[in-house]
Amino acid sequence: MKSKLFKLLKQAAQILLVVSAVGFGADWLRRPDVPADAAQMAVPAADGQTATLAQISAGRTAVLYFWGSWCGICKHTSPAVQRLHENGTPVVGVALRSGSAAEVRGYMRRQGLDFATADDPQGDIARWWGVRVTPTIVLVKNGRIVHSTTGIASYWGLAARVWLADRLG
């Protein structure tokens, strides 16, 4: 019995290692090309004003979330990002090619999303960042990019990344 359990645990660990390696590799290949002056990028702040990424991420990790209303995977990831926002993590969304500012606000209201969001109707901000995939999630601390990930993400996976960035970044 112990030998079967040990074999099963060993196989599970191997699978987890392979899946993790593939995930990290995909994130590395699809990472955005961070602009040299990214820290000074003016973004909407939670209070309705504008601030720079450096200001929003001063002393703590902030999330820069590139998403689209047309993106199926974003429909699953956006609630996790919203939950981060509700739990105190600074979040700035970039609504990529999702219509006018009024259309983006309406979509967000219908989806129960209320984190600060910049409208990117032509994809200029995403192009400036070299975003190749939606959703793309960039973690910023003290104006410096500390991590990025792409594709579907869970609340707990994102919360763990933010927690690690707060301690290590």
Side-chain angles (χ1 to χ4, degrees), residues 46-79:
D47 61 5
Q49 304 297 313
T50 59
T52 65
L53 276 179
Q55 291 168 326
I56 289 174
S57 66
R60 63 185 180 170
T61 304
V63 173
L64 181 61
Y65 175 49
F66 291 89
W67 62 278
S69 60
W70 44 267
C71 168
I73 293 175
C74 299
K75 287 178 177 46
H76 297 284
T77 300
S78 293

mmCIF file of all heavy atoms in Angstrom, residues 46-79:
data_model
loop_
_atom_site.group_PDB
_atom_site.id
_atom_site.type_symbol
_atom_site.label_atom_id
_atom_site.label_comp_id
_atom_site.label_asym_id
_atom_site.label_seq_id
_atom_site.Cartn_x
_atom_site.Cartn_y
_atom_site.Cartn_z
ATOM 1 N N ALA A 46 -7.951 54.778 -8.630
ATOM 2 C CA ALA A 46 -9.210 54.348 -8.022
ATOM 3 C C ALA A 46 -10.126 55.519 -7.683
ATOM 4 O O ALA A 46 -11.338 55.378 -7.690
ATOM 5 C CB ALA A 46 -8.925 53.518 -6.775
ATOM 6 N N ASP A 47 -9.545 56.698 -7.403
ATOM 7 C CA ASP A 47 -10.354 57.854 -7.014
ATOM 8 C C ASP A 47 -10.899 58.637 -8.211
ATOM 9 O O ASP A 47 -11.472 59.702 -8.048
ATOM 10 C CB ASP A 47 -9.539 58.782 -6.109
ATOM 11 C CG ASP A 47 -8.293 59.339 -6.793
ATOM 12 O OD1 ASP A 47 -8.089 59.087 -7.998
ATOM 13 O OD2 ASP A 47 -7.521 60.024 -6.109
ATOM 14 N N GLY A 48 -10.727 58.095 -9.426
ATOM 15 C CA GLY A 48 -11.223 58.768 -10.625
ATOM 16 C C GLY A 48 -10.233 59.745 -11.225
ATOM 17 O O GLY A 48 -10.461 60.271 -12.301
ATOM 18 N N GLN A 49 -9.153 60.018 -10.533
ATOM 19 C CA GLN A 49 -8.102 60.899 -11.039
ATOM 20 C C GLN A 49 -7.128 60.068 -11.888
ATOM 21 O O GLN A 49 -7.392 58.918 -12.178
ATOM 22 C CB GLN A 49 -7.373 61.569 -9.870
ATOM 23 C CG GLN A 49 -8.266 62.342 -8.931
ATOM 24 C CD GLN A 49 -8.950 63.503 -9.619
ATOM 25 O OE1 GLN A 49 -8.335 64.267 -10.326
ATOM 26 N NE2 GLN A 49 -10.255 63.627 -9.406
ATOM 27 N N THR A 50 -6.012 60.665 -12.255
ATOM 28 C CA THR A 50 -4.960 59.900 -12.922
ATOM 29 C C THR A 50 -3.715 59.927 -12.048
ATOM 30 O O THR A 50 -3.529 60.823 -11.230
ATOM 31 C CB THR A 50 -4.615 60.465 -14.319
ATOM 32 O OG1 THR A 50 -4.201 61.814 -14.185
ATOM 33 C CG2 THR A 50 -5.788 60.364 -15.268
ATOM 34 N N ALA A 51 -2.895 58.906 -12.223
ATOM 35 C CA ALA A 51 -1.640 58.785 -11.499
ATOM 36 C C ALA A 51 -0.677 58.030 -12.398
ATOM 37 O O ALA A 51 -1.059 57.567 -13.479
ATOM 38 C CB ALA A 51 -1.859 58.030 -10.192
ATOM 39 N N THR A 52 0.560 57.902 -11.973
ATOM 40 C CA THR A 52 1.512 57.098 -12.734
ATOM 41 C C THR A 52 1.562 55.697 -12.132
ATOM 42 O O THR A 52 1.175 55.487 -10.981
ATOM 43 C CB THR A 52 2.926 57.711 -12.703
ATOM 44 O OG1 THR A 52 3.416 57.664 -11.361
ATOM 45 C CG2 THR A 52 2.929 59.147 -13.231
ATOM 46 N N LEU A 53 2.058 54.753 -12.914
ATOM 47 C CA LEU A 53 2.238 53.400 -12.380
ATOM 48 C C LEU A 53 3.149 53.420 -11.159
ATOM 49 O O LEU A 53 2.932 52.675 -10.209
ATOM 50 C CB LEU A 53 2.821 52.476 -13.449
ATOM 51 C CG LEU A 53 1.837 51.843 -14.417
ATOM 52 C CD1 LEU A 53 2.569 50.978 -15.431
ATOM 53 C CD2 LEU A 53 0.784 51.041 -13.700
ATOM 54 N N ALA A 54 4.164 54.275 -11.184
ATOM 55 C CA ALA A 54 5.077 54.383 -10.041
ATOM 56 C C ALA A 54 4.317 54.830 -8.796
ATOM 57 O O ALA A 54 4.545 54.308 -7.700
ATOM 58 C CB ALA A 54 6.223 55.340 -10.347
ATOM 59 N N GLN A 55 3.402 55.788 -8.925
ATOM 60 C CA GLN A 55 2.638 56.268 -7.776
ATOM 61 C C GLN A 55 1.677 55.190 -7.253
ATOM 62 O O GLN A 55 1.570 54.978 -6.042
ATOM 63 C CB GLN A 55 1.843 57.523 -8.140
ATOM 64 C CG GLN A 55 2.723 58.725 -8.395
ATOM 65 C CD GLN A 55 1.961 59.877 -9.037
ATOM 66 O OE1 GLN A 55 1.045 59.661 -9.843
ATOM 67 N NE2 GLN A 55 2.334 61.099 -8.680
ATOM 68 N N ILE A 56 0.984 54.520 -8.157
ATOM 69 C CA ILE A 56 0.005 53.506 -7.762
ATOM 70 C C ILE A 56 0.678 52.316 -7.091
ATOM 71 O O ILE A 56 0.115 51.711 -6.180
ATOM 72 C CB ILE A 56 -0.825 53.070 -8.989
ATOM 73 C CG1 ILE A 56 -1.757 54.219 -9.397
ATOM 74 C CG2 ILE A 56 -1.624 51.808 -8.710
ATOM 75 C CD1 ILE A 56 -2.515 53.990 -10.662
ATOM 76 N N SER A 57 1.905 52.001 -7.525
ATOM 77 C CA SER A 57 2.596 50.820 -7.002
ATOM 78 C C SER A 57 3.640 51.157 -5.942
ATOM 79 O O SER A 57 4.449 50.300 -5.581
ATOM 80 C CB SER A 57 3.255 50.058 -8.152
ATOM 81 O OG SER A 57 4.297 50.836 -8.724
ATOM 82 N N ALA A 58 3.620 52.376 -5.434
ATOM 83 C CA ALA A 58 4.604 52.780 -4.416
ATOM 84 C C ALA A 58 4.406 51.958 -3.142
ATOM 85 O O ALA A 58 3.362 52.033 -2.500
ATOM 86 C CB ALA A 58 4.487 54.265 -4.113
ATOM 87 N N GLY A 59 5.396 51.160 -2.806
ATOM 88 C CA GLY A 59 5.371 50.393 -1.567
ATOM 89 C C GLY A 59 4.525 49.136 -1.575
ATOM 90 O O GLY A 59 4.461 48.424 -0.584
ATOM 91 N N ARG A 60 3.839 48.857 -2.670
ATOM 92 C CA ARG A 60 3.033 47.638 -2.761
ATOM 93 C C ARG A 60 2.835 47.241 -4.219
ATOM 94 O O ARG A 60 3.034 48.051 -5.125
ATOM 95 C CB ARG A 60 1.692 47.815 -2.075
ATOM 96 C CG ARG A 60 0.831 48.888 -2.707
ATOM 97 C CD ARG A 60 -0.418 49.066 -1.903
ATOM 98 N NE ARG A 60 -1.257 50.094 -2.503
ATOM 99 C CZ ARG A 60 -2.478 50.335 -2.128
ATOM 100 N NH1 ARG A 60 -3.013 49.615 -1.170
ATOM 101 N NH2 ARG A 60 -3.187 51.277 -2.683
ATOM 102 N N THR A 61 2.437 46.030 -4.420
ATOM 103 C CA THR A 61 2.264 45.503 -5.774
ATOM 104 C C THR A 61 0.920 45.930 -6.337
ATOM 105 O O THR A 61 -0.114 45.800 -5.671
ATOM 106 C CB THR A 61 2.371 43.967 -5.768
ATOM 107 O OG1 THR A 61 3.627 43.601 -5.194
ATOM 108 C CG2 THR A 61 2.274 43.403 -7.170
ATOM 109 N N ALA A 62 0.953 46.438 -7.550
ATOM 110 C CA ALA A 62 -0.261 46.793 -8.276
ATOM 111 C C ALA A 62 -0.401 45.862 -9.480
ATOM 112 O O ALA A 62 0.584 45.299 -9.962
ATOM 113 C CB ALA A 62 -0.200 48.245 -8.744
ATOM 114 N N VAL A 63 -1.621 45.712 -9.954
ATOM 115 C CA VAL A 63 -1.915 44.848 -11.094
ATOM 116 C C VAL A 63 -2.302 45.723 -12.281
ATOM 117 O O VAL A 63 -3.203 46.559 -12.176
ATOM 118 C CB VAL A 63 -3.068 43.877 -10.760
ATOM 119 C CG1 VAL A 63 -3.494 43.095 -11.991
ATOM 120 C CG2 VAL A 63 -2.670 42.945 -9.636
ATOM 121 N N LEU A 64 -1.614 45.526 -13.394
ATOM 122 C CA LEU A 64 -1.977 46.142 -14.672
ATOM 123 C C LEU A 64 -2.574 45.021 -15.511
ATOM 124 O O LEU A 64 -1.887 44.038 -15.828
ATOM 125 C CB LEU A 64 -0.744 46.752 -15.342
ATOM 126 C CG LEU A 64 -0.969 47.443 -16.681
ATOM 127 C CD1 LEU A 64 -1.933 48.626 -16.550
ATOM 128 C CD2 LEU A 64 0.375 47.929 -17.245
ATOM 129 N N TYR A 65 -3.854 45.139 -15.839
ATOM 130 C CA TYR A 65 -4.621 44.042 -16.434
ATOM 131 C C TYR A 65 -5.105 44.430 -17.829
ATOM 132 O O TYR A 65 -5.998 45.257 -17.977
ATOM 133 C CB TYR A 65 -5.803 43.728 -15.506
ATOM 134 C CG TYR A 65 -6.782 42.703 -15.999
ATOM 135 C CD1 TYR A 65 -6.362 41.479 -16.489
ATOM 136 C CD2 TYR A 65 -8.147 42.937 -15.934
ATOM 137 C CE1 TYR A 65 -7.271 40.527 -16.921
ATOM 138 C CE2 TYR A 65 -9.075 41.995 -16.342
ATOM 139 C CZ TYR A 65 -8.632 40.792 -16.842
ATOM 140 O OH TYR A 65 -9.536 39.855 -17.263
ATOM 141 N N PHE A 66 -4.513 43.838 -18.856
ATOM 142 C CA PHE A 66 -4.927 44.043 -20.246
ATOM 143 C C PHE A 66 -6.011 43.013 -20.569
ATOM 144 O O PHE A 66 -5.763 41.807 -20.496
ATOM 145 C CB PHE A 66 -3.737 43.862 -21.194
ATOM 146 C CG PHE A 66 -2.703 44.934 -21.086
ATOM 147 C CD1 PHE A 66 -1.657 44.811 -20.184
ATOM 148 C CD2 PHE A 66 -2.771 46.076 -21.875
ATOM 149 C CE1 PHE A 66 -0.691 45.801 -20.075
ATOM 150 C CE2 PHE A 66 -1.811 47.067 -21.773
ATOM 151 C CZ PHE A 66 -0.770 46.934 -20.868
ATOM 152 N N TRP A 67 -7.194 43.494 -20.937
ATOM 153 C CA TRP A 67 -8.320 42.608 -21.178
ATOM 154 C C TRP A 67 -9.183 43.165 -22.302
ATOM 155 O O TRP A 67 -9.007 44.294 -22.750
ATOM 156 C CB TRP A 67 -9.153 42.441 -19.904
ATOM 157 C CG TRP A 67 -9.761 43.733 -19.413
ATOM 158 C CD1 TRP A 67 -9.158 44.697 -18.663
ATOM 159 C CD2 TRP A 67 -11.077 44.214 -19.682
ATOM 160 N NE1 TRP A 67 -10.021 45.732 -18.439
ATOM 161 C CE2 TRP A 67 -11.206 45.458 -19.054
ATOM 162 C CE3 TRP A 67 -12.158 43.700 -20.395
ATOM 163 C CZ2 TRP A 67 -12.383 46.208 -19.121
ATOM 164 C CZ3 TRP A 67 -13.319 44.438 -20.450
ATOM 165 C CH2 TRP A 67 -13.434 45.682 -19.812
ATOM 166 N N GLY A 68 -10.131 42.369 -22.752
ATOM 167 C CA GLY A 68 -11.082 42.815 -23.767
ATOM 168 C C GLY A 68 -12.465 42.272 -23.489
ATOM 169 O O GLY A 68 -12.605 41.139 -23.012
ATOM 170 N N SER A 69 -13.481 43.047 -23.798
ATOM 171 C CA SER A 69 -14.857 42.590 -23.586
ATOM 172 C C SER A 69 -15.191 41.425 -24.515
ATOM 173 O O SER A 69 -16.083 40.635 -24.225
ATOM 174 C CB SER A 69 -15.839 43.748 -23.819
ATOM 175 O OG SER A 69 -15.720 44.228 -25.149
ATOM 176 N N TRP A 70 -14.474 41.299 -25.598
ATOM 177 C CA TRP A 70 -14.668 40.240 -26.591
ATOM 178 C C TRP A 70 -13.890 38.967 -26.255
ATOM 179 O O TRP A 70 -14.032 37.942 -26.909
ATOM 180 C CB TRP A 70 -14.195 40.750 -27.957
ATOM 181 C CG TRP A 70 -12.878 41.472 -27.842
ATOM 182 C CD1 TRP A 70 -12.701 42.822 -27.674
ATOM 183 C CD2 TRP A 70 -11.579 40.889 -27.797
ATOM 184 N NE1 TRP A 70 -11.359 43.108 -27.545
ATOM 185 C CE2 TRP A 70 -10.644 41.938 -27.629
ATOM 186 C CE3 TRP A 70 -11.097 39.596 -27.905
ATOM 187 C CZ2 TRP A 70 -9.275 41.725 -27.543
ATOM 188 C CZ3 TRP A 70 -9.726 39.390 -27.825
ATOM 189 C CH2 TRP A 70 -8.844 40.449 -27.655
ATOM 190 N N CYS A 71 -13.062 39.008 -25.228
ATOM 191 C CA CYS A 71 -12.144 37.919 -24.882
ATOM 192 C C CYS A 71 -12.833 36.909 -23.965
ATOM 193 O O CYS A 71 -13.192 37.240 -22.834
ATOM 194 C CB CYS A 71 -10.905 38.513 -24.200
ATOM 195 S SG CYS A 71 -9.832 37.330 -23.394
ATOM 196 N N GLY A 72 -13.009 35.681 -24.454
ATOM 197 C CA GLY A 72 -13.664 34.641 -23.674
ATOM 198 C C GLY A 72 -12.929 34.299 -22.389
ATOM 199 O O GLY A 72 -13.550 34.102 -21.339
ATOM 200 N N ILE A 73 -11.612 34.213 -22.441
ATOM 201 C CA ILE A 73 -10.838 33.876 -21.244
ATOM 202 C C ILE A 73 -10.907 35.017 -20.232
ATOM 203 O O ILE A 73 -10.925 34.785 -19.025
ATOM 204 C CB ILE A 73 -9.392 33.513 -21.617
ATOM 205 C CG1 ILE A 73 -9.399 32.218 -22.419
ATOM 206 C CG2 ILE A 73 -8.512 33.374 -20.388
ATOM 207 C CD1 ILE A 73 -8.067 31.779 -22.953
ATOM 208 N N CYS A 74 -10.981 36.260 -20.720
ATOM 209 C CA CYS A 74 -11.094 37.413 -19.814
ATOM 210 C C CYS A 74 -12.370 37.332 -18.977
ATOM 211 O O CYS A 74 -12.382 37.779 -17.828
ATOM 212 C CB CYS A 74 -11.070 38.719 -20.600
ATOM 213 S SG CYS A 74 -9.543 38.988 -21.530
ATOM 214 N N LYS A 75 -13.421 36.749 -19.529
ATOM 215 C CA LYS A 75 -14.679 36.608 -18.783
ATOM 216 C C LYS A 75 -14.487 35.727 -17.545
ATOM 217 O O LYS A 75 -15.211 35.863 -16.565
ATOM 218 C CB LYS A 75 -15.766 36.037 -19.686
ATOM 219 C CG LYS A 75 -16.286 37.029 -20.703
ATOM 220 C CD LYS A 75 -17.325 36.387 -21.600
ATOM 221 C CE LYS A 75 -17.948 37.314 -22.609
ATOM 222 N NZ LYS A 75 -17.125 38.176 -23.353
ATOM 223 N N HIS A 76 -13.501 34.831 -17.585
ATOM 224 C CA HIS A 76 -13.203 33.979 -16.434
ATOM 225 C C HIS A 76 -12.164 34.609 -15.504
ATOM 226 O O HIS A 76 -12.195 34.379 -14.307
ATOM 227 C CB HIS A 76 -12.705 32.610 -16.907
ATOM 228 C CG HIS A 76 -13.727 31.862 -17.696
ATOM 229 N ND1 HIS A 76 -14.805 31.241 -17.115
ATOM 230 C CD2 HIS A 76 -13.856 31.663 -19.020
ATOM 231 C CE1 HIS A 76 -15.552 30.690 -18.047
ATOM 232 N NE2 HIS A 76 -14.996 30.921 -19.212
ATOM 233 N N THR A 77 -11.248 35.402 -16.085
ATOM 234 C CA THR A 77 -10.171 35.991 -15.299
ATOM 235 C C THR A 77 -10.607 37.298 -14.630
ATOM 236 O O THR A 77 -10.178 37.600 -13.518
ATOM 237 C CB THR A 77 -8.941 36.223 -16.193
ATOM 238 O OG1 THR A 77 -8.535 34.953 -16.724
ATOM 239 C CG2 THR A 77 -7.786 36.825 -15.426
ATOM 240 N N SER A 78 -11.453 38.070 -15.273
ATOM 241 C CA SER A 78 -11.860 39.370 -14.729
ATOM 242 C C SER A 78 -12.465 39.297 -13.331
ATOM 243 O O SER A 78 -12.156 40.145 -12.488
ATOM 244 C CB SER A 78 -12.819 40.078 -15.695
ATOM 245 O OG SER A 78 -12.144 40.428 -16.880
ATOM 246 N N PRO A 79 -13.310 38.307 -13.008
ATOM 247 C CA PRO A 79 -13.807 38.232 -11.627
ATOM 248 C C PRO A 79 -12.684 38.027 -10.600
ATOM 249 O O PRO A 79 -12.766 38.549 -9.488
ATOM 250 C CB PRO A 79 -14.771 37.036 -11.655
ATOM 251 C CG PRO A 79 -15.228 36.961 -13.077
ATOM 252 C CD PRO A 79 -14.016 37.359 -13.891
#
